[in-house]
Amino acid sequence: MVMLEDLFVNICIVTALLFVYMKLRWGSREKTEYPWISHLIDGICGGILGFLLMEFSIRVTDETLADLRYIPILLMLLFVGKVPAIISALFIISSRFIFGINLSSYAAVIMIASLVIGYLVIEKILKNENNILLKGMYMVLYS
């Protein structure tokens, strides 16, 4: 039962922060002289979401935790772009070390790096595909 409660909390975090992000950023996505500022803001927002999902991880058993930290990277890549997705991944990787530096931290770095590379490969393979749902499904299956 605790696992379902934790999953519910994670879904609520994703939903609430996506709503706030959409209200604040999507309406103000204008062409600027410095697009890197927009990429940086979007990437940091995705990184903060990933950090919160790690903080409120899902307890599967007494010794096993799962989290949905890959979702912000996936959403950034699908809807915003590659650069914000990579910035989000770097933010999530660096924030993982806040929880402690151990073997699990390094495994998380390898996992996030392999996910980003896989997502970018899937994005490249399906670049002519306009169906975002199909791309997302392949990325979730890869995760």
Side-chain angles (χ1 to χ4, degrees), residues 34-76:
Y34 307 106
W36 60 271
I37 293 174
S38 184
H39 291 318
L40 188 64
I41 291 170
D42 293 337
I44 290 172
C45 288
I48 290 170
L49 176 57
F51 172 76
L52 288 174
L53 290 172
M54 281 189 294
E55 179 68 31
F56 297 99
S57 57
I58 301 167
R59 182 168 300 282
V60 179
T61 66
D62 288 336
E63 298 175 2
T64 307
L65 295 175
D67 59 48
L68 303 176
R69 74 183 96 168
Y70 69 92
I71 289 179
I73 301 168
L74 187 145
L75 292 174
M76 284 291 154

